[in-house]
Amino acid sequence: MAELKEIQGAADTLPDKRDFALWNLGFRPFYLAASGYAAVSILIWVAQFSGWLPHTLITGSVWHAHEMLFGFVLPVIVGFLLTAGQNWTGRKTLSGYPLMALVLLWLSARVLVMSPWGWASAVANVAFPWVAAAVLAVPFIRAGVRRNYFFLALLFLLGAISLGIHVTHLASLQALDWLNMQMALDIVLFIMVVMAGRVTPPFTANGVSGSQPRRIAWLERVAPGLVLAVLVADITSLHGALMAVVLLLATLAHGLRLSLWQSWKTVGTPLVWVLHLAYGWIVLHLSLRTLAEIGWISSSTAIHALTAGAMGTLIIGMMTRTARGHTGLALKADRYDVTCYLLVQAGAVVRVLVPLLLPALLLPSILVSALLWSAAFALYAVRYWPLLTRARVDGRPG
């Protein structure tokens, strides 16, 4: 609480610090909304899985996966891009009432997906990433930042995949639901490996004294390229030995990439080691997918290494770091941040490893994992609410 008192003290010395700043920049409302939704929706899923609540429009595990990706991960990506895009282009991105409207579009999609209005849900869920891509396209194109155009294409693809999930469900073609979902997982994985490759080495070099993370030009092309190869293989429903080879190559490439970043030197710097840990979950996910492809383990184990492990860890790490940086706080994790990191790790380990080693404990592991994961993002929402809703403590815009 001492840090919050320090923030409040800084606020008292500057006349504009009490301004309500939630709609100043994209990360503010979307980080709060996504963390709150993650905390609540995972508990709703557990209640459904346990039979305590009826299933919603997109039923069972498909609803759970859809909402984790499109209800939780996607708004974090959009919030990050709206914030980073302003730095990349030097042009102002969405703020004020237009930003509020985009958040309300996301919120309407969350409400409608649990309603009987299937086509309305489809429209809202497709519109959110497409509108986000459109508003990002304006500063990107005007500034000519072609390097980041692929984000616009990926947002468009995610919208198309969400449409596919809704249509196949409404047309009772559930056999295609998981094909669409796997493509969405692959696209988010690609976004993660690209962004982690951009930020983790420089964050490590700047934040960890004596570290010298390396990047090899050919590996920086091959590692993301192999994730795209996995996406193509999933689209074409490739299975068997050839798919296992593709996944194994991806595992080796990303394992080598991570080894060059000197993770062992980050132990004393939580704001950095959490990013390395997230990438470690990516390597584990790819290795587990390889084992699942040859029939040694369940594919669910590999999926949760990606979702509960890699996505959860990278998101909590980036949400704490960017929130601190863009609210004027020191880039140093406090005990609340570290607690969030550890809760996400505990939830992921329980969800992935316990059913793998003790299959009879699947239901208890799901319940415990959900509670840990929910607690992590609930803590983030409560902890960062006063920071994300008030003006920067250093008086700068944003």
Side-chain angles (χ1 to χ4, degrees):
M1 298 306 293
E3 188 178 60
L4 280 176
K5 290 179 180 177
E6 181 182 343
I7 293 168
Q8 291 165 354
D12 292 338
T13 64
L14 294 170
D16 61 343
K17 289 299 170 293
R18 293 189 179 87
D19 289 348
F20 187 70
L22 182 63
W23 310 109
N24 284 9
L25 200 54
F27 78 97
R28 292 175 176 271
F30 278 119
Y31 283 10
L32 282 178
S35 58
Y37 188 70
V40 173
S41 65
I42 194 72
L43 297 180
I44 293 175
W45 158 242
V46 168
Q48 287 188 191
F49 185 81
S50 304
W52 302 333
L53 281 180
H55 289 282
T56 52
L57 174 67
I58 302 178
T59 56
S61 59
V62 175
W63 177 86
H64 170 52
H66 182 278
E67 289 306 282
M68 282 295 98
L69 282 178
F70 295 96
F72 167 55
V73 176
L74 184 56
V76 174
I77 292 173
V78 170
F80 174 82
L81 290 175
L82 287 170
T83 305
Q86 191 161 283
N87 294 333
W88 296 339
T89 64
R91 297 172 182 269
K92 190 170 178 60
T93 55
L94 222 57
S95 63
Y97 287 115
L99 177 58
M100 188 186 300
L102 187 61
V103 173
L104 287 175
L105 177 58
W106 167 85
L107 181 60
S108 69
R110 308 284 62 78
V111 173
L112 287 168
V113 83
M114 291 185 281
S115 77
W117 304 312
W119 286 110
S121 173
V123 170
N125 276 284
V126 173
F128 175 64
W130 284 2
V131 171
V135 299
L136 283 163
V138 175
F140 281 19
I141 293 172
R142 286 179 177 174
V145 286
R146 292 185 177 85
R147 180 171 180 251
N148 296 311
Y149 284 3
F150 77 96
F151 284 119
L152 307 179
L154 293 176
L155 287 173
F156 181 83
L157 282 174
L158 285 172
I161 289 170
S162 184
L163 176 61
I165 293 169
H166 280 80
V167 169
T168 55
H169 181 82
L170 292 167
S172 299
L173 300 172
Q174 281 83 356
L176 298 176
D177 280 347
W178 272 107
L179 173 60
N180 286 315
M181 198 60 68
Q182 186 60 62
M183 288 190 291
L185 287 169
D186 291 342
I187 290 172
V188 172
L189 175 59
F190 180 72
I191 293 173
M192 291 171 63
V193 300
V194 170
M195 293 310 305
R198 289 188 185 184
V199 303
T200 305
F203 285 177
T204 304
N206 295 334
V208 181
S209 178
S211 66
Q212 294 180 318
R214 295 172 53 209
R215 285 185 283 195
I216 301 174
W218 66 264
L219 185 59
E220 293 303 302
R221 294 190 296 270
V222 169
L226 283 167
V227 173
L228 290 179
V230 171
L231 170 60
V232 171
D234 283 328
I235 292 172
T236 58
S237 297
L238 181 67
H239 292 291
L242 187 54
M243 182 60 167
V245 169
V246 174
L247 289 165
L248 179 59
L249 290 173
T251 303
L252 295 173
H254 288 278
L256 175 59
R257 195 187 196 200
L258 178 60
S259 72
L260 296 172
W261 295 348
Q262 300 185 332
S263 302
W264 61 91
K265 292 187 176 182
T266 69
V267 173
T269 313
L271 211 60
V272 178
W273 63 243
V274 69
L275 303 180
H276 288 253
L277 197 55
Y279 211 86
W281 278 105
I282 290 175
V283 177
L284 179 61
H285 159 69
L286 291 168
S287 64
L288 291 174
R289 271 209 72 182
T290 305
L291 296 178
E293 192 59 39
I294 59 179
W296 288 9
I297 64 171
S298 166
S299 60
S300 174
T301 302
I303 289 172
H304 285 93
L306 174 61
T307 53
M311 291 181 187
T313 305
L314 185 60
I315 284 173
I316 198 68
M318 289 301 295
M319 286 202 309
T320 51
R321 185 183 185 95
T322 55
R324 286 183 160 274
H326 287 280
T327 55
L329 296 181
L331 290 177
K332 183 178 180 180
D334 63 17
R335 63 183 181 275
Y336 301 102
D337 299 329
V338 175
T339 301
C340 289
Y341 302 163
L342 295 178
L343 285 169
V344 169
Q345 297 317 298
V349 168
V350 169
R351 182 61 186 87
V352 173
L353 296 186
V354 171
L356 184 63
L357 300 175
L358 300 167
L361 296 180
L362 174 62
L363 181 57
S365 71
I366 291 175
L367 295 174
V368 172
S369 174
L371 290 172
L372 291 167
W373 223 72
S374 176
F377 288 98
L379 176 59
Y380 177 90
V382 172
R383 167 72 179 92
Y384 277 86
W385 171 265
L387 305 178
L388 295 176
T389 56
R390 296 180 68 176
R392 291 178 59 124
V393 298
D394 56 10
R396 296 173 58 188

